[in-house]
Amino acid sequence: MSDTLAFDLIVIGSGPGGYVAAIRGAQLGFKTAIIEKEPNLGGTCLNVGCIPSKALLHSTEQFHFASHGAGEHGIECGKPSIDIAQLMRKKTKTVDQLRMGVQHLMKTNKVSVFHGLGVLAAEQTVQVKNADGATEATLQSSKILIATGSSSIELPFLPFDGEKIVSSDQAIAFDTIPERMAVVGAGAIGLELGSVWARLGSQVDVIEFLPAIAPSFDKDVSKTAERLFKKQGLNFHLNTKVTAYKNDPDGLILTAEKKDQQIDFAVDKILVAVGRKANTTGLGLDAVGLACDDKGRIPVDAHYQTSVPGIYAIGDVIAGPMLAHKAEEEAVACVERMAGQAGHVNYDVIPNVIYTDPEISSVGLTEAAAKEKGIDYVSGKFNFSANGRAIASDATDGFVKVIACKESDKLLGVQIIAKGASELIASAVTHMEYGGSAEDLARTVHAHPTLSEAMKEAAMATAGQAIHS
Ligand SMILES: Cc1cc2nc3c(=O)[nH]c(=O)nc-3n(C[C@H](O)[C@H](O)[C@H](O)COP(=O)(O)OP(=O)(O)OC[C@H]3O[C@@H](n4cnc5c(N)ncnc54)[C@H](O)[C@@H]3O)c2cc1C
């Protein structure tokens, strides 16, 4: 039996929620421990999520440019070819560098790192178990933070085999380019990884149960995205429900239904990207009397406190958008609350991004959501086809849409589809965080020529005052 080690804060899980909480805890003077069951720190985001997917998107965008766009600029590079092993090595190098960064941060902040499964044994006790189930360490604290994140949802009739029927964990690491691939789900992960493999030459069929791709975005954005991504070779099957699969000598046959019609897709790989579920298995919730909600998430109050005093939860394991920056903000707010400070997350202004080409981003309400809430609003739209920098940079696809309260002019939401939309959304978030109006945004000086001028013009358009359209 191991000795019991005492801490001021124990964090279970080292994703963007967990490791940020550990650092903030250390900054606030807590003697902090973090427990991670995987060999590397960084969680989904760093190891199999945000970072590797963005590295692949960047590499394949370069390949796509070399294959399709370079000639127009007078850049002759012949017909480029892909070395998939090198492409993956480049991705791994990026991930490794950031893993070392997180490790270094744990060291410099004097956070004690434990590798193993964190299991709640009692209200103030966490055991660290090794792969054989033996207890390697017993930690005690009056403050325990669960940040165990999420994993891909499996469809019962399409069980993951890690080879042909895969989750994003494998789809970021194929060692050959699949000839034919089905992507089930047209949300962020399906669209991003579908784009990666389509750019490398796979025939990609994206099957979506709902009537739109990127369904959480404004309808206008979804429609534009669908049109643009179709041109890039993604085949969309909307209002279509996947129902079964069977092995075939030539690969897999995936069966789907659209209205009453059956469609069969002959493919080599199926990526199931239908969402993620909270990680609570093996965590020992029963031992402390914690129950999950109907979606398997850990319920918390406004201060991230669970029903058990001293046990908190943040990130993907609780309700809300499953996003790394949401987990990070909750981490800081939660730990500051533990220290008696006034940490707070403004859930009305959490940006959401899909890193396709063009990218899609949004913050706040869509027009549909404003309508549903009965808010009287005005909207303004500006197309990148009328933006100088966009024309000079082959970035004319897409638009910015701004919506504001008709009476107060307060910004309610911004939707962008454009190259660099992930960066452009930041200024909308800032304006909204400070309660800015469409006029504030419209009268803010934006450098020329920049894509961000489209944001200003869309804000001006809410009052019918856009200059360039
Ligand atoms: C392919 C993909 C792309 C994504 N892209 C983006 C993006 O571009 N932007 C964005 O904002 N979000 C993105 N996400 C979502 C993002 O990764 C998550 O929202 C984020 O990682 C959640 O952070 P977290 O700290 O709550 O959990 P996680 O990052 O999931 O970390 C939880 C950690 O806890 C560990 N753990 C679980 N149980 C235990 C236990 N009992 N004991 C010890 N350790 C345990 C896990 O091993 C894991 O390391 C993406 C996800 C995927 C899959």
Side-chain angles (χ1 to χ4, degrees):
M1 185 72 186
S2 57
D3 289 342
T4 298
L5 304 167
F7 289 92
D8 299 320
L9 170 63
I10 301 169
V11 180
I12 310 177
S14 73
Y19 87 75
V20 167
I23 293 172
R24 189 70 190 114
Q27 286 174 347
L28 289 165
F30 294 156
K31 184 183 174 200
T32 304
I34 193 164
I35 308 169
E36 173 54 57
K37 69 177 172 61
E38 296 296 328
N40 294 299
L41 302 180
T44 302
C45 168
L46 172 47
N47 295 292
V48 289
C50 321
I51 299 298
S53 58
K54 264 81 261 179
L56 293 178
L57 282 157
H58 177 65
S59 294
T60 54
E61 214 173 305
Q62 308 304 308
F63 177 63
H64 195 262
F65 175 73
S67 314
H68 296 95
E72 198 193 337
H73 294 264
I75 303 166
E76 296 303 338
C77 45
K79 189 176 180 320
S81 63
I82 271 286
D83 175 348
I84 192 80
Q86 174 55 26
L87 184 131
M88 291 296 165
R89 276 195 293 275
K90 172 86 172 78
K91 174 204 74 175
T92 305
K93 193 174 158 206
T94 306
V95 171
D96 282 347
Q97 184 179 339
L98 287 162
R99 277 175 183 159
M100 274 164 52
V102 176
Q103 253 173 35
H104 178 74
L105 287 170
M106 293 301 103
K107 204 168 162 191
T108 52
N109 284 282
K110 299 190 173 50
V111 173
S112 303
V113 177
F114 293 85
H115 281 284
L117 188 72
V119 182
L120 295 160
E123 281 194 16
Q124 301 197 351
T125 308
V126 184
Q127 290 176 330
V128 183
K129 305 249 185 198
N130 66 20
D132 300 327
T135 302
E136 294 267 319
T138 302
L139 317 185
Q140 211 145 41
S141 176
S142 59
K143 295 182 279 298
I144 297 169
L145 175 55
I146 302 170
T148 50
S150 65
S151 338
S152 303
I153 290 177
E154 188 174 49
L155 292 171
F157 52 87
L158 265 182
F160 293 131
D161 63 12
E163 274 294 318
K164 290 179 174 170
I165 304 174
V166 300
S167 74
S168 55
D169 294 2
Q170 289 84 38
I172 54 162
F174 293 153
D175 53 10
T176 54
I177 301 168
E179 225 172 275
R180 306 156 306 173
M181 181 172 166
V183 177
V184 184
I189 294 175
L191 291 174
E192 289 181 9
L193 294 179
S195 295
V196 162
W197 294 105
R199 288 172 194 167
L200 294 175
S202 299
Q203 179 200 306
V204 177
D205 285 286
V206 183
I207 303 153
E208 170 59 55
F209 179 66
L210 295 172
I213 69 165
S216 63
F217 289 82
D218 189 287
K219 268 202 189 109
D220 228 1
V221 169
S222 300
K223 282 232 160 328
T224 306
E226 187 187 336
R227 179 175 56 77
L228 294 172
F229 300 160
K230 261 186 195 159
K231 280 204 275 183
Q232 295 169 18
L234 292 176
N235 306 308
F236 292 108
H237 308 272
L238 304 179
N239 294 305
T240 306
K241 186 178 163 195
V242 170
T243 52
Y245 87 99
K246 64 172 189 261
N247 277 302
D248 180 78
D250 187 30
L252 295 165
I253 305 289
L254 179 66
T255 303
E257 280 169 10
K258 183 169 189 169
K259 292 188 181 138
D260 289 332
Q261 208 190 335
Q262 180 178 315
I263 314 170
D264 287 337
F265 299 91
V267 293
D268 307 303
K269 301 264 190 203
I270 302 172
L271 163 61
V272 181
V274 295
R276 297 179 62 80
K277 60 173 193 305
N279 286 334
T280 56
T281 312
L283 187 56
L285 296 183
D286 288 350
V288 293
L290 265 180
C292 292
D293 67 14
D294 58 349
K295 294 204 167 95
R297 305 169 301 197
I298 299 179
V300 290
D301 68 11
H303 300 161
Y304 311 102
Q305 165 85 54
T306 67
S307 57
V308 179
I311 303 186
Y312 301 78
I314 54 157
D316 279 11
V317 79
I318 67 167
M322 287 182 162
L323 294 168
H325 42 283
K326 178 253 192 192
E328 290 183 39
E329 293 302 320
E330 288 178 343
V332 170
C334 174
V335 175
E336 288 181 350
R337 286 275 171 183
M338 290 176 187
Q341 298 187 356
H344 171 73
V345 179
N346 184 354
Y347 288 97
D348 291 339
V349 290
I350 295 187
N352 191 10
V353 179
I354 302 183
Y355 294 79
T356 39
D357 181 20
E359 293 177 341
I360 301 172
S361 64
S362 73
V363 60
L365 299 181
T366 57
E367 282 198 67
K371 265 186 204 139
E372 209 172 284
K373 285 176 180 277
I375 300 173
D376 208 3
Y377 68 89
V378 286
S379 79
K381 188 171 165 184
F382 191 82
N383 291 318
F384 282 92
S385 55
N387 172 279
R389 182 69 188 279
I391 294 170
S393 327
D394 299 331
T396 51
D397 285 329
F399 59 84
V400 179
K401 187 189 268 190
V402 168
I403 71 165
C405 175
K406 194 167 185 179
E407 196 189 347
S408 66
D409 197 39
K410 188 177 173 182
L411 281 171
L412 298 173
V414 174
Q415 302 270 323
I416 308 175
I417 175 163
K419 256 201 194 325
S422 57
E423 303 291 345
L424 291 172
I425 199 69
S427 81
V429 175
T430 308
H431 273 276
M432 286 179 66
E433 180 64 34
Y434 290 113
S437 65
E439 185 176 352
D440 289 329
L441 181 52
R443 291 192 185 274
T444 299
V445 182
H446 288 69
H448 176 78
T450 58
L451 299 180
S452 67
E453 287 171 290
M455 180 93 81
K456 175 185 168 78
E457 294 258 16
M460 293 162 95
T462 60
Q465 294 170 4
I467 300 292
H468 294 95
S469 68

